[in-house]
């Protein structure tokens, strides 16, 4: 079994190779790091040297944003990091649009008397789920463009970014397990459960239809997003049925109305 120390050493080797040695500081840091790793591997019993080597590697990784590399770590993931960091693992009701505060949530009786309000709550949840899935899919695409060692370093890095990307990878694995083996759990009226334990408990034992099976593991998030889009479309139809009034299908669109000349307008 690979130890955490071995993983840190591998990160250190990759860091040394990735440093931009076109300047004096870069050359010195790469040489110093490589020298520490070489000595540490040659003297495994020297605990002080092992500790120093590990601290230097992790400190350099922690401050990678200010370092000079031939290819910047997390360069592709950076645009979606802020969104990923804000994701709530188990969002409360009405969390997406923040329509109500925690003290003002409508009661079950309120929802029973106002079906439109109940539909709005379901839409808040499911559209929030859809947005999180779309961002996660974008993040997965960005993660796939990063260097493999950069992604693996998140397991030992311990920084805020590492923690965020670890959560992302756990989420992707949960989707992969659920989508590859079972039908997507839940419906438009059931809360989304992203954790692996919840997925294991709620997954139904029926296989995914052949035409819905992702072509590869990389397609599972796309499958999940398609299912979320379908659930949101169902909710829109449900809301449409609840709203009284004539069918607007024959009414002119906003753009068509805007194209018609106004009698009181000189144009």
């Amino acid at each position: 079994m690979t130890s955490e120390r071995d993983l840190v050493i591998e990160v250190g080797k990759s860091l040394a190779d990735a440093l931009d040695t076109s300047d004096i500081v870069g050359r010195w840091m790469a040489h110093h790091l490589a020298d520490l790793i070489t000595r540490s591997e040659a003297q495994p019993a020297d605990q002080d040297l092992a500790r120093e080597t590990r601290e230097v590697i992790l400190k350099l990784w922690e401050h990678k944003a200010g370092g000079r590399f031939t290819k910047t770590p997390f360069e592709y993931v950076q645009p979606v990091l802020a969104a990923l960091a804000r994701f709530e693992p188990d969002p409360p009701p009405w969390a997406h649009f923040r329509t109500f505060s925690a003290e003002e949530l409508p009661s079950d009786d309120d929802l029973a008397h106002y079906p439109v309000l109940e539909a709005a709550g379901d839409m808040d949840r499911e559209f929030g789920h859809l947005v999180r899935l779309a961002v996660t899919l974008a993040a997965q695409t960005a993660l796939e463009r990063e260097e493999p060692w950069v992604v693996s370093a998140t397991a030992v890095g311990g920084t805020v970014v590492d923690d965020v990307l670890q959560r992302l990878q756990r989420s992707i694995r949960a989707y992969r397990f659920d989508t590859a083996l079972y039908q997507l759990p839940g419906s438009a009226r059931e809360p989304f459960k992203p954790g692996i334990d919840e997925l294991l408990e709620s997954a139904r034992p029926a296989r995914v239809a052949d035409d819905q099976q992702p072509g590869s593991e990389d397609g599972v998030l796309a499958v999940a997003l398609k299912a979320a889009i379908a659930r949101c479309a169902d909710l829109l139809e449900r809301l449409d049925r609840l709203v009284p009034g004539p069918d607007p299908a024959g009414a002119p669109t906003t753009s068509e109305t805007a194209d018609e000349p106004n009698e009181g307008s000189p144009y």
Side-chain angles (χ1 to χ4, degrees):
M1 182 177 179
T2 304
S3 68
E4 182 178 340
R5 179 181 179 278
D6 293 334
L7 291 174
V8 172
I9 291 295
E10 290 305 312
V11 170
K13 291 177 179 178
S14 298
L15 274 171
D17 291 338
L19 284 165
D20 185 353
T21 57
S22 61
D23 64 344
I24 295 175
V25 174
R27 281 198 301 274
W28 178 86
M29 181 57 73
H31 175 77
H32 177 59
L33 190 54
D35 179 59
L36 278 175
I37 292 171
T38 300
R39 288 166 50 205
S40 182
E41 289 184 323
Q43 305 171 53
D46 190 335
Q47 294 301 311
D48 290 337
L49 179 59
R51 189 179 304 107
E52 179 187 0
T53 303
R54 186 178 187 280
E55 288 175 355
V56 168
I57 292 170
L58 293 179
K59 186 63 68 175
L60 179 57
W61 178 251
E62 180 183 352
H63 294 284
K64 57 187 173 295
R68 295 187 60 177
F69 295 91
T70 54
K71 190 172 183 180
T72 306
F74 299 137
E75 177 180 7
Y76 299 107
V77 176
Q78 194 62 44
V80 292
L81 277 175
L84 292 172
R86 294 184 60 180
F87 282 173
E88 298 177 81
D90 188 18
W94 302 93
H96 184 62
F97 291 106
R98 308 289 181 185
T99 310
F100 297 99
S101 68
E103 297 77 23
E104 299 170 329
L105 293 179
S107 67
D108 291 342
D109 286 341
D110 293 332
L111 297 179
H113 283 92
Y114 302 100
V116 171
L117 184 63
E118 182 183 29
D122 292 340
M123 290 174 68
D124 182 280
R125 180 187 66 247
E126 289 299 333
F127 275 91
H129 172 204
L130 183 143
V131 170
R132 291 195 299 274
L133 260 177
V135 173
T136 302
L137 180 59
Q140 182 199 34
T141 303
L143 207 60
E144 289 169 350
R145 299 181 67 185
E146 298 287 348
E147 295 290 336
W149 75 267
V150 171
V151 179
S152 63
T154 61
V156 294
T159 68
V160 172
V161 172
D162 295 322
D163 291 343
V164 168
L165 294 180
Q166 279 284 295
R167 290 201 303 272
L168 168 65
Q169 292 176 77
R170 285 195 296 271
S171 178
I172 291 173
R173 285 195 294 272
Y175 280 118
R176 178 172 297 141
F177 173 85
D178 184 63
T179 309
L181 297 180
Y182 302 100
Q183 291 179 347
L184 288 168
S187 69
R189 297 176 66 83
E190 296 174 359
F192 172 59
K193 300 176 180 179
I196 185 65
D197 293 333
E198 289 87 349
L199 286 171
L200 283 167
E201 183 177 345
S202 62
R204 297 190 292 272
R207 294 282 177 175
V208 177
D210 290 340
D211 61 348
Q212 294 179 322
Q213 194 72 257
S216 68
E217 287 189 343
D218 294 338
V220 296
L221 281 180
V223 171
L225 183 56
K226 286 283 189 182
I229 293 170
R231 287 198 297 274
C232 288
D234 288 344
L235 279 171
L236 287 172
E237 290 183 6
R238 172 182 154 202
L239 183 64
D240 184 50
R241 291 193 297 269
L242 290 171
V243 177
D247 186 350
T253 63
T254 304
S255 59
E256 290 172 346
T257 306
D259 291 339
E260 295 178 359
N262 188 321
E263 291 183 2
S265 169
Y267 303 101

